[in-house]
Amino acid sequence: MSGTDRVISQEALAAQQDYAERVRQLYLKKLPRQPLACAVTFGCQQNEADTELIRGMLADMGFGMTAEEDKADLLIFNTCAIREHAEMRVFGNVGQTSHYKKANPDVVICVCGCMPQQPQVAEKIKNSYPYVDIVFGTHALYKFPQLLYTRLTGKKRVFDISGDESGVILEGLHPVRKEGPAAWLSIMYGCNNFCTYCIVPYVRGRERSRSPEAILAELRELVAQGYRDITLLGQNVNSYGLDREDYPDFAGLLEMCNAVEGGFRLRFMTSHPKDATERLFDTMAKCEKVCHSIHLPVQCGSDRVLKAMNRHYDKKRYLELVDYARAKMPDLTMTSDIIVGFPGETEEEFEETVQLLERVRFDSLFTFIYSRREGTRAAVMPDPVSREEKQKWFDRLLEVQNRISREINARYVGKTVTVLLDGESDDKNYDLTGRTEGFKLVHLKGDKSRIGQYAQAEIDRSSTWALFGKVK
Ligand code: 5AD
Ligand code: SF4
């Protein structure tokens, strides 16, 4: 299949724009004021980026945005399927919307994203949440205007969880980004890895890379618009370009992005260790715009469990990468993901994860208790350890990591670091927040009018989660 075949066609896009205009006209007739939409996002950065596309489509359809659910004429939940907890939260939130529907039967309730891409979940919404009007999966995202038009002009609820799992590449949609100097830039979609615990490859389809031309054009536009902290986004950015002979690899793409003119920082996520290469770290070290910061999910410290997870690296290789990266970039900040209690994991194997943490000393961690996902390979593996036991392991892991994070952050006290000022602090003793190159959160005293700018920050205090100080 050629690259252009996978990109959404001009005709398909034009058809959606046509539907968007028709929806706009319908609301002009229906309401004496601008319709309002409220979009709620669950889950990862990819979902955040998808919600930005949804906001773009909503703007095309004439909607203004509100953060208040009860004021909205249209409510849309962009959902996450990664763990049961995420799904329960979505169901809780969607359940609340029956009140809005009772108060105003014209309110349109939409559920989209990863959850309904699973047929059994779509079925559950159909049967148990009759007030949900529109349900669509990740593959149908761009069809939102059509689905809304169909709902508004028909009597039936609208379901679209179709979709070829090879997926399309969305070009030509215009995201409406959140405020602030940071922006997501999707470089690829989907995942081919089928880690045995993970639902993502089932709901997001196969890996497909955007063309370097499209990525560079969007990057230039972002820089021209004033964005200063740009994260290249993909489920596994390290396999960027591997689906196409004529595309650069990820390190090559980073170099091309680094060459774009302007005062901005580049980050990327997520990196799978199996595709992380020494060449990637060499490239990070030599590209001045690329932050010395990496999220490199290890998942666990036991070779047997890593194999059962289908991760395609072992502890030795992971540590080799960490050591190489740190030798090249002594100031590198590292974060990771850990799953506790994968089916069949023993206490000894869990202890190997703790040892790995002590050896690597990540700046911070995202830690999860294993959650069984219907349809994945791990879902049918024997899982004898109790939830209580897993919780104990999890608490121990947090304790170890919190100490390490505290120790690492304490080393910043007395130092001056460059931060990008990105918003107002929610801590009443401070005015602003900033992010260091390593993406550490810094609460700062200083002039709020400088939000959006780089600044030097003197750090005088630290905690497990953040640094504190003043703008110089
Ligand atoms: N249970 C627990 N954690 C999971 N993750 C992915 N799937 C599961 C699951 N079934 C975690 C992994 C991944 C992160 C995004 O979510 O650590 O890196
Ligand atoms: Fe899930 Fe593994 Fe793909 Fe990450 S790399 S999205 S954990 S299957």
Side-chain angles (χ1 to χ4, degrees):
M1 192 189 259
S2 81
T4 45
D5 282 350
R6 303 180 307 171
V7 174
I8 183 173
S9 72
Q10 286 303 309
E11 296 78 53
L13 212 62
Q16 291 308 319
Q17 271 152 8
D18 195 39
Y19 279 115
E21 180 54 27
R22 290 201 231 171
V23 170
R24 207 175 67 82
Q25 296 295 342
L26 283 178
Y27 272 102
L28 274 178
K29 281 198 207 113
K30 206 171 142 105
L31 289 180
R33 54 167 174 83
Q34 185 185 32
L36 290 175
C38 174
V40 185
T41 313
F42 296 85
C44 67
Q45 294 75 19
Q46 189 60 60
N47 266 16
E48 299 269 0
D50 284 351
T51 299
E52 292 175 353
L53 295 178
I54 289 170
R55 280 201 221 108
M57 291 185 265
L58 285 165
D60 288 346
M61 294 188 275
F63 282 88
M65 298 302 299
T66 172
E68 292 168 77
E69 293 186 5
D70 57 347
K71 297 227 162 55
D73 302 290
L74 182 145
L75 264 157
I76 180 159
F77 296 93
N78 189 9
T79 64
C80 171
I82 197 113
R83 283 170 291 275
E84 193 184 5
H85 177 70
E87 291 199 343
M88 296 324 288
R89 275 184 56 213
V90 170
F91 281 128
N93 274 260
V94 173
Q96 292 296 319
T97 62
S98 66
H99 303 303
Y100 308 137
K101 197 80 176 191
K102 263 185 216 128
N104 175 8
D106 284 342
V107 171
V108 179
I109 315 273
C110 316
V111 178
C112 69
C114 292
M115 269 171 69
Q117 194 63 52
Q118 310 164 91
Q120 80 279 10
V121 178
E123 202 54 32
K124 176 167 170 179
I125 299 172
K126 199 178 224 167
N127 298 331
S128 309
Y129 297 84
Y131 39 87
V132 174
D133 294 286
I134 304 176
V135 178
F136 59 103
T138 53
H139 296 299
L141 178 77
Y142 72 94
K143 288 193 230 163
F144 180 36
Q146 178 180 356
L147 302 176
L148 180 54
Y149 180 79
T150 309
R151 178 65 186 122
L152 292 173
T153 53
K155 290 209 159 43
K156 288 200 183 122
R157 305 157 73 202
V158 177
F159 287 78
D160 188 341
I161 56 155
S162 62
D164 168 2
E165 64 160 28
S166 63
V168 288
I169 298 178
L170 297 178
E171 299 293 357
L173 290 178
H174 298 288
V176 173
R177 292 187 158 88
K178 60 181 183 304
E179 270 182 50
W184 310 114
L185 201 181
S186 292
I187 63 165
M188 60 190 299
Y189 303 100
C191 181
N192 287 354
N193 293 313
F194 290 94
C195 299
T196 53
Y197 49 82
C198 188
I199 196 71
V200 168
Y202 302 89
V203 294
R204 289 244 168 223
R206 297 293 66 74
E207 282 176 9
R208 47 216 190 266
S209 304
R210 289 179 74 191
S211 74
E213 294 76 28
I215 295 167
L216 289 170
E218 188 167 348
L219 176 59
R220 287 194 196 97
E221 200 181 306
L222 289 172
V223 174
Q225 288 167 351
Y227 289 99
R228 293 286 168 262
D229 197 302
I230 295 160
T231 304
L232 306 179
L233 203 61
Q235 232 63 246
N236 171 17
V237 293
N238 293 344
S239 58
Y240 173 82
L242 300 182
D243 53 330
R244 287 292 307 265
E245 267 172 27
D246 51 337
Y247 288 1
D249 66 0
F250 181 60
L253 181 75
L254 259 188
E255 274 185 75
M256 292 162 94
C257 291
N258 187 66
V260 168
E261 281 191 25
F264 64 94
R265 286 169 168 173
L266 277 170
R267 316 177 179 279
F268 52 87
M269 75 184 312
T270 291
S271 286
H272 193 310
K274 88 175 163 59
D275 304 305
T277 55
E278 279 73 3
R279 181 173 132 72
L280 169 68
F281 296 119
D282 294 345
T283 307
M284 284 175 76
K286 79 173 183 222
C287 290
E288 75 289 352
K289 293 189 177 102
V290 177
C291 294
H292 290 181
S293 170
I294 192 165
H295 182 61
L296 196 64
V298 63
Q299 310 299 357
C300 75
S302 143
D303 285 343
R304 191 202 64 81
V305 177
L306 283 171
K307 214 175 168 74
M309 288 176 164
N310 194 34
R311 291 290 289 178
H312 293 283
Y313 55 85
D314 58 11
K315 184 165 65 184
K316 181 163 161 287
R317 172 63 184 152
Y318 189 86
L319 293 175
E320 216 171 76
L321 284 169
V322 171
D323 291 344
Y324 186 90
R326 284 185 169 157
K328 285 276 159 185
M329 295 170 281
D331 59 341
L332 182 74
T333 57
M334 285 195 76
T335 56
S336 200
D337 293 343
I338 300 278
I339 296 177
V340 172
F342 182 80
E345 185 176 31
T346 64
E347 186 158 11
E348 291 71 39
E349 287 165 340
F350 164 70
E351 283 301 328
E352 288 188 68
T353 301
V354 177
Q355 283 161 20
L356 182 103
L357 296 200
E358 296 281 12
R359 159 78 160 79
V360 177
R361 294 178 63 83
F362 295 105
D363 287 83
S364 62
L365 273 188
F366 299 88
T367 44
F368 312 103
I369 293 183
Y370 168 75
S371 173
R372 185 178 172 279
R373 304 284 68 205
E374 193 72 47
T376 62
R377 273 157 59 200
V380 291
M381 295 179 187
D383 190 6
V385 176
S386 69
R387 174 81 198 190
E388 292 69 37
E389 187 66 13
K390 289 184 185 185
Q391 186 67 48
K392 272 193 220 150
W393 298 357
F394 182 83
D395 294 345
R396 172 156 149 68
L397 195 81
L398 278 196
E399 215 173 282
V400 171
Q401 181 56 42
N402 287 350
R403 170 179 47 77
I404 294 171
S405 295
R406 217 162 41 234
E407 288 169 0
I408 292 177
N409 285 349
R411 293 210 308 258
Y412 284 80
V413 174
K415 294 202 171 126
T416 298
V417 291
T418 305
V419 294
L420 179 60
L421 300 171
D422 63 352
E424 294 187 14
S425 174
D426 56 11
D427 183 326
K428 64 178 179 344
N429 299 314
Y430 294 89
D431 308 302
L432 300 148
T433 56
R435 292 278 179 176
T436 67
E437 179 178 333
F439 211 61
K440 283 187 188 291
L441 174 65
V442 194
H443 293 276
L444 290 161
K445 289 183 181 149
D447 181 356
K448 286 184 188 169
S449 69
R450 292 185 64 187
I451 291 174
Q453 297 174 9
Y454 290 104
Q456 296 299 306
E458 275 178 5
I459 307 300
D460 53 29
R461 188 163 74 83
S462 69
S463 72
T464 309
W465 311 111
L467 307 176
F468 303 84
K470 61 172 185 289
V471 177
K472 254 185 157 178

Coordinates of all heavy atoms in Angstrom, one line a residue, residues 350-404:
F350 N 8.8 -9.8 41.4 CA 8.4 -8.4 41.7 C 9.6 -7.7 42.3 O 10.0 -6.5 42.0 CB 7.2 -8.3 42.6 CG 7.1 -7.0 43.3 CD1 6.7 -5.9 42.6 CD2 7.4 -6.8 44.7 CE1 6.6 -4.6 43.2 CE2 7.3 -5.6 45.3 CZ 6.9 -4.5 44.5
E351 N 10.4 -8.4 43.2 CA 11.5 -7.8 43.9 C 12.6 -7.4 42.8 O 13.4 -6.5 43.0 CB 12.2 -8.8 44.9 CG 11.4 -8.9 46.2 CD 11.3 -7.6 46.9 OE1 12.2 -6.7 46.8 OE2 10.2 -7.3 47.6
E352 N 12.6 -8.2 41.7 CA 13.6 -7.8 40.6 C 13.2 -6.4 40.1 O 14.1 -5.7 39.6 CB 13.6 -8.8 39.5 CG 14.2 -10.2 39.9 CD 14.4 -11.1 38.7 OE1 15.2 -10.7 37.8 OE2 13.6 -12.1 38.7
T353 N 11.9 -6.1 40.0 CA 11.5 -4.8 39.6 C 12.0 -3.7 40.6 O 12.5 -2.7 40.2 CB 10.0 -4.7 39.5 OG1 9.6 -5.7 38.5 CG2 9.5 -3.4 39.0
V354 N 11.9 -4.0 41.9 CA 12.3 -3.1 42.9 C 13.9 -2.8 42.7 O 14.3 -1.7 42.8 CB 12.0 -3.6 44.3 CG1 12.6 -2.6 45.4 CG2 10.5 -3.7 44.5
Q355 N 14.6 -3.9 42.5 CA 16.0 -3.8 42.3 C 16.3 -3.0 41.1 O 17.3 -2.2 41.1 CB 16.7 -5.2 42.2 CG 16.8 -5.9 43.5 CD 17.0 -7.4 43.3 OE1 17.4 -7.9 42.2 NE2 16.7 -8.2 44.3
L356 N 15.6 -3.2 40.0 CA 15.8 -2.4 38.8 C 15.6 -0.9 39.1 O 16.4 0.0 38.6 CB 14.8 -2.8 37.7 CG 15.1 -2.1 36.4 CD1 15.8 -3.0 35.4 CD2 13.8 -1.7 35.8
L357 N 14.6 -0.6 39.9 CA 14.4 0.9 40.2 C 15.5 1.4 41.0 O 16.0 2.6 40.7 CB 13.1 1.0 41.1 CG 11.8 0.7 40.7 CD1 10.7 1.4 41.5 CD2 11.6 1.0 39.2
E358 N 16.1 0.7 41.9 CA 17.2 1.1 42.7 C 18.4 1.3 41.8 O 19.2 2.2 42.0 CB 17.6 0.1 43.8 CG 16.5 0.0 44.9 CD 16.4 1.1 45.9 OE1 17.1 2.1 45.7 OE2 15.7 0.9 46.9
R359 N 18.5 0.5 40.8 CA 19.7 0.5 39.9 C 19.6 1.7 38.9 O 20.5 2.5 38.7 CB 19.8 -0.8 39.1 CG 20.6 -0.8 37.8 CD 22.1 -0.8 38.1 NE 22.8 -1.2 36.9 CZ 23.1 -0.5 35.8 NH1 22.7 0.8 35.8 NH2 23.7 -1.0 34.8
V360 N 18.4 1.9 38.3 CA 18.2 2.9 37.3 C 18.0 4.3 37.9 O 18.5 5.3 37.5 CB 17.0 2.6 36.3 CG1 16.8 3.7 35.3 CG2 17.3 1.3 35.6
R361 N 17.2 4.3 39.0 CA 16.8 5.6 39.7 C 16.1 6.5 38.7 O 16.7 7.6 38.3 CB 18.0 6.3 40.3 CG 18.5 5.4 41.5 CD 19.8 6.1 42.2 NE 19.5 7.4 42.8 CZ 19.0 7.6 44.0 NH1 18.7 6.6 44.7 NH2 18.8 8.8 44.4
F362 N 14.9 6.2 38.3 CA 14.1 7.0 37.4 C 13.7 8.3 38.2 O 13.6 8.3 39.4 CB 12.8 6.3 37.0 CG 13.0 5.1 36.2 CD1 12.9 3.8 36.8 CD2 13.3 5.2 34.9 CE1 13.0 2.7 36.0 CE2 13.5 4.0 34.1 CZ 13.4 2.8 34.7
D363 N 13.5 9.4 37.4 CA 13.1 10.6 38.0 C 11.7 10.5 38.6 O 11.3 11.0 39.7 CB 13.1 11.8 37.0 CG 14.5 12.2 36.7 OD1 15.2 11.5 35.9 OD2 15.0 13.1 37.4
S364 N 10.8 9.8 37.8 CA 9.5 9.5 38.3 C 8.9 8.3 37.5 O 9.5 7.9 36.5 CB 8.5 10.7 38.3 OG 8.3 11.1 36.9
L365 N 7.8 7.8 38.1 CA 7.3 6.5 37.5 C 5.8 6.6 37.3 O 5.1 7.3 38.1 CB 7.5 5.3 38.4 CG 8.8 4.5 38.4 CD1 8.6 3.3 39.3 CD2 9.1 4.1 37.0
F366 N 5.2 6.0 36.3 CA 3.8 5.7 36.3 C 3.6 4.3 36.6 O 4.1 3.4 35.9 CB 3.3 6.1 34.9 CG 3.5 7.5 34.5 CD1 4.7 7.9 33.9 CD2 2.5 8.5 34.8 CE1 4.9 9.2 33.6 CE2 2.7 9.8 34.5 CZ 3.9 10.2 33.9
T367 N 2.9 4.0 37.7 CA 2.8 2.6 38.2 C 1.4 2.1 38.1 O 0.5 2.9 38.5 CB 3.3 2.5 39.6 OG1 2.8 3.6 40.3 CG2 4.8 2.6 39.7
F368 N 1.2 0.9 37.7 CA -0.1 0.4 37.5 C -0.2 -1.0 38.1 O 0.7 -1.8 37.9 CB -0.5 0.3 36.0 CG -0.2 1.6 35.3 CD1 0.9 1.7 34.5 CD2 -1.0 2.7 35.5 CE1 1.2 2.9 33.8 CE2 -0.8 3.9 34.8 CZ 0.3 4.0 34.0
I369 N -1.4 -1.4 38.7 CA -1.6 -2.8 39.0 C -2.2 -3.4 37.7 O -3.0 -2.7 37.0 CB -2.6 -2.9 40.2 CG1 -1.9 -2.4 41.4 CG2 -3.0 -4.3 40.4 CD1 -2.7 -2.5 42.7
Y370 N -1.8 -4.6 37.4 CA -2.2 -5.2 36.2 C -3.8 -5.3 36.1 O -4.4 -5.6 37.1 CB -1.7 -6.7 36.1 CG -2.4 -7.5 35.0 CD1 -2.1 -7.3 33.7 CD2 -3.4 -8.4 35.4 CE1 -2.8 -8.0 32.7 CE2 -4.0 -9.1 34.4 CZ -3.7 -8.9 33.0 OH -4.4 -9.6 32.1
S371 N -4.3 -4.9 35.0 CA -5.8 -4.9 34.8 C -6.1 -5.8 33.6 O -5.5 -5.7 32.5 CB -6.2 -3.5 34.5 OG -7.6 -3.5 34.2
R372 N -7.0 -6.8 33.9 CA -7.3 -7.8 32.8 C -8.1 -7.2 31.7 O -9.1 -6.6 32.0 CB -8.1 -8.9 33.5 CG -8.4 -10.1 32.6 CD -9.1 -11.2 33.3 NE -9.5 -12.2 32.4 CZ -10.6 -12.1 31.7 NH1 -11.4 -11.0 31.7 NH2 -10.9 -13.1 30.8
R373 N -7.7 -7.3 30.5 CA -8.4 -6.7 29.3 C -8.9 -7.8 28.4 O -8.1 -8.6 27.9 CB -7.5 -5.8 28.5 CG -6.8 -4.6 29.3 CD -7.8 -3.5 29.6 NE -8.8 -3.8 30.5 CZ -10.0 -3.2 30.6 NH1 -10.3 -2.2 29.8 NH2 -10.9 -3.6 31.5
E374 N -10.2 -7.9 28.3 CA -10.8 -9.0 27.5 C -10.2 -9.0 26.1 O -10.1 -7.9 25.5 CB -12.3 -8.6 27.4 CG -13.2 -9.7 26.9 CD -13.4 -10.8 27.9 OE1 -13.6 -10.5 29.0 OE2 -13.2 -12.0 27.4
G375 N -9.9 -10.1 25.6 CA -9.4 -10.2 24.2 C -7.9 -10.2 24.1 O -7.3 -10.5 23.0
T376 N -7.2 -9.9 25.2 CA -5.7 -9.9 25.1 C -5.2 -11.2 25.5 O -5.9 -12.1 26.1 CB -5.1 -8.8 26.1 OG1 -5.5 -9.2 27.4 CG2 -5.6 -7.4 25.8
R377 N -3.9 -11.5 25.2 CA -3.4 -12.8 25.5 C -3.2 -13.1 27.0 O -3.4 -14.2 27.5 CB -2.0 -13.1 24.7 CG -2.3 -13.6 23.3 CD -1.2 -13.4 22.4 NE 0.1 -13.9 22.8 CZ 1.3 -13.5 22.4 NH1 1.3 -12.5 21.5 NH2 2.4 -14.0 22.8
A378 N -2.9 -12.0 27.7 CA -2.7 -12.2 29.1 C -4.0 -12.5 29.9 O -4.0 -13.1 31.0 CB -2.1 -11.0 29.7
A379 N -5.1 -12.1 29.2 CA -6.4 -12.3 29.9 C -6.8 -13.8 30.2 O -7.5 -14.1 31.0 CB -7.5 -11.7 29.0
V380 N -6.1 -14.7 29.4 CA -6.4 -16.1 29.7 C -5.2 -16.8 30.4 O -5.2 -18.0 30.6 CB -6.7 -16.9 28.3 CG1 -8.0 -16.4 27.7 CG2 -5.5 -16.7 27.3
M381 N -4.3 -16.0 30.9 CA -3.2 -16.6 31.7 C -3.6 -16.8 33.1 O -4.3 -15.9 33.7 CB -1.9 -15.7 31.6 CG -1.3 -15.6 30.2 SD 0.1 -14.5 30.3 CE 0.5 -14.3 28.6
P382 N -3.2 -17.9 33.8 CA -3.5 -18.0 35.2 C -3.0 -16.8 36.0 O -1.9 -16.4 35.8 CB -2.8 -19.3 35.6 CG -2.4 -20.0 34.3 CD -2.3 -18.9 33.3
D383 N -3.8 -16.4 36.9 CA -3.5 -15.1 37.7 C -3.7 -15.4 39.2 O -4.7 -14.8 39.7 CB -4.3 -14.0 37.1 CG -3.9 -12.6 37.6 OD1 -2.9 -12.6 38.4 OD2 -4.6 -11.7 37.3
P384 N -2.9 -16.2 39.8 CA -3.3 -16.7 41.2 C -3.1 -15.7 42.3 O -3.7 -15.8 43.4 CB -2.3 -17.9 41.4 CG -1.1 -17.6 40.5 CD -1.6 -16.8 39.4
V385 N -2.3 -14.6 42.1 CA -2.0 -13.7 43.2 C -3.2 -12.8 43.5 O -3.8 -12.3 42.6 CB -0.7 -12.9 42.9 CG1 -0.5 -11.8 44.0 CG2 0.5 -13.8 42.7
S386 N -3.5 -12.6 44.8 CA -4.7 -11.9 45.1 C -4.5 -10.4 44.9 O -3.4 -9.9 44.9 CB -5.1 -12.1 46.6 OG -4.1 -11.5 47.4
R387 N -5.6 -9.7 44.8 CA -5.6 -8.2 44.6 C -4.9 -7.6 45.8 O -4.1 -6.6 45.7 CB -7.0 -7.7 44.5 CG -7.2 -6.3 44.4 CD -6.9 -5.7 43.0 NE -6.7 -4.3 43.1 CZ -6.6 -3.5 42.0 NH1 -6.7 -4.0 40.8 NH2 -6.4 -2.2 42.2
E388 N -5.2 -8.1 47.0 CA -4.6 -7.5 48.2 C -3.1 -7.6 48.2 O -2.3 -6.7 48.5 CB -5.1 -8.2 49.5 CG -6.6 -8.0 49.8 CD -7.5 -8.7 48.8 OE1 -7.2 -9.8 48.3 OE2 -8.5 -8.1 48.5
E389 N -2.6 -8.8 47.8 CA -1.1 -9.0 47.7 C -0.5 -8.0 46.7 O 0.5 -7.4 46.9 CB -0.9 -10.5 47.3 CG 0.6 -10.9 47.3 CD 1.2 -10.9 48.7 OE1 0.4 -10.8 49.7 OE2 2.4 -11.0 48.8
K390 N -1.2 -7.9 45.5 CA -0.7 -7.0 44.5 C -0.6 -5.6 45.0 O 0.3 -4.8 44.7 CB -1.5 -7.1 43.2 CG -1.4 -8.4 42.5 CD -2.2 -8.4 41.2 CE -2.1 -9.8 40.5 NZ -2.7 -9.8 39.2
Q391 N -1.7 -5.2 45.8 CA -1.7 -3.9 46.3 C -0.5 -3.6 47.2 O 0.1 -2.6 47.2 CB -3.0 -3.7 47.1 CG -3.2 -2.3 47.6 CD -3.4 -1.2 46.4 OE1 -4.2 -1.5 45.5 NE2 -2.7 -0.1 46.5
K392 N -0.1 -4.7 48.0 CA 1.0 -4.5 48.9 C 2.3 -4.3 48.1 O 3.1 -3.5 48.5 CB 1.2 -5.8 49.8 CG 0.4 -5.8 51.0 CD 0.9 -7.0 51.9 CE -0.3 -7.6 52.6 NZ -0.2 -9.0 52.9
W393 N 2.4 -5.1 47.1 CA 3.6 -4.9 46.2 C 3.6 -3.5 45.6 O 4.7 -2.8 45.6 CB 3.6 -5.9 45.0 CG 3.7 -7.3 45.4 CD1 3.8 -7.8 46.7 CD2 3.6 -8.5 44.5 NE1 3.8 -9.2 46.6 CE2 3.7 -9.6 45.3 CE3 3.5 -8.6 43.1 CZ2 3.7 -10.9 44.7 CZ3 3.5 -9.9 42.6 CH2 3.6 -11.0 43.4
F394 N 2.5 -3.1 45.2 CA 2.3 -1.8 44.5 C 2.7 -0.6 45.5 O 3.5 0.3 45.2 CB 0.9 -1.6 44.1 CG 0.6 -0.3 43.4 CD1 0.8 -0.1 42.1 CD2 0.0 0.8 44.1 CE1 0.5 1.1 41.4 CE2 -0.3 2.0 43.5 CZ 0.0 2.1 42.1
D395 N 2.2 -0.8 46.8 CA 2.6 0.3 47.8 C 4.1 0.3 48.1 O 4.7 1.4 48.2 CB 1.8 0.0 49.1 CG 0.3 0.1 48.9 OD1 -0.1 0.7 47.9 OD2 -0.5 -0.4 49.8
R396 N 4.7 -0.9 48.1 CA 6.1 -1.0 48.3 C 6.9 -0.3 47.2 O 7.8 0.5 47.4 CB 6.5 -2.4 48.5 CG 8.0 -2.6 48.5 CD 8.4 -3.9 49.2 NE 9.6 -4.5 48.7 CZ 10.8 -3.9 48.9 NH1 10.9 -2.8 49.6 NH2 11.9 -4.5 48.4
L397 N 6.4 -0.5 46.0 CA 7.1 0.1 44.8 C 7.0 1.6 44.9 O 8.0 2.3 44.7 CB 6.3 -0.4 43.6 CG 7.1 -0.2 42.2 CD1 8.1 -1.3 42.0 CD2 6.1 -0.2 41.1
L398 N 5.8 2.1 45.2 CA 5.6 3.6 45.3 C 6.6 4.1 46.4 O 7.1 5.2 46.2 CB 4.2 3.9 45.7 CG 3.2 3.9 44.6 CD1 1.9 4.6 45.1 CD2 3.7 4.6 43.4
E399 N 6.7 3.4 47.5 CA 7.5 3.9 48.6 C 8.9 4.1 48.1 O 9.6 5.1 48.4 CB 7.5 2.9 49.7 CG 7.5 3.4 51.1 CD 7.3 2.2 52.1 OE1 6.1 1.8 52.2 OE2 8.3 1.6 52.6
V400 N 9.4 3.0 47.4 CA 10.8 3.1 46.9 C 10.9 4.2 45.9 O 11.9 5.0 46.0 CB 11.2 1.7 46.3 CG1 12.5 1.8 45.5 CG2 11.2 0.6 47.3
Q401 N 10.0 4.3 45.0 CA 10.1 5.3 44.0 C 10.0 6.7 44.6 O 10.7 7.6 44.2 CB 9.1 5.1 42.9 CG 9.2 6.2 41.8 CD 10.6 6.3 41.1 OE1 11.2 5.2 40.9 NE2 11.1 7.5 40.9
N402 N 9.1 6.9 45.5 CA 8.9 8.3 46.1 C 10.2 8.7 46.8 O 10.6 9.9 46.7 CB 7.8 8.3 47.1 CG 6.4 8.2 46.4 OD1 6.4 8.3 45.2 ND2 5.4 8.0 47.1
R403 N 10.9 7.8 47.5 CA 12.2 8.1 48.1 C 13.2 8.6 47.0 O 13.8 9.6 47.1 CB 12.7 7.0 48.9 CG 14.2 7.2 49.4 CD 14.8 6.1 50.2 NE 14.6 4.8 49.7 CZ 15.3 4.2 48.7 NH1 16.2 5.0 48.0 NH2 15.1 3.0 48.3
I404 N 13.2 7.8 45.9 CA 14.2 8.1 44.9 C 13.9 9.4 44.2 O 14.8 10.3 44.0 CB 14.2 7.0 43.8 CG1 14.8 5.7 44.4 CG2 15.0 7.4 42.6 CD1 14.6 4.4 43.5

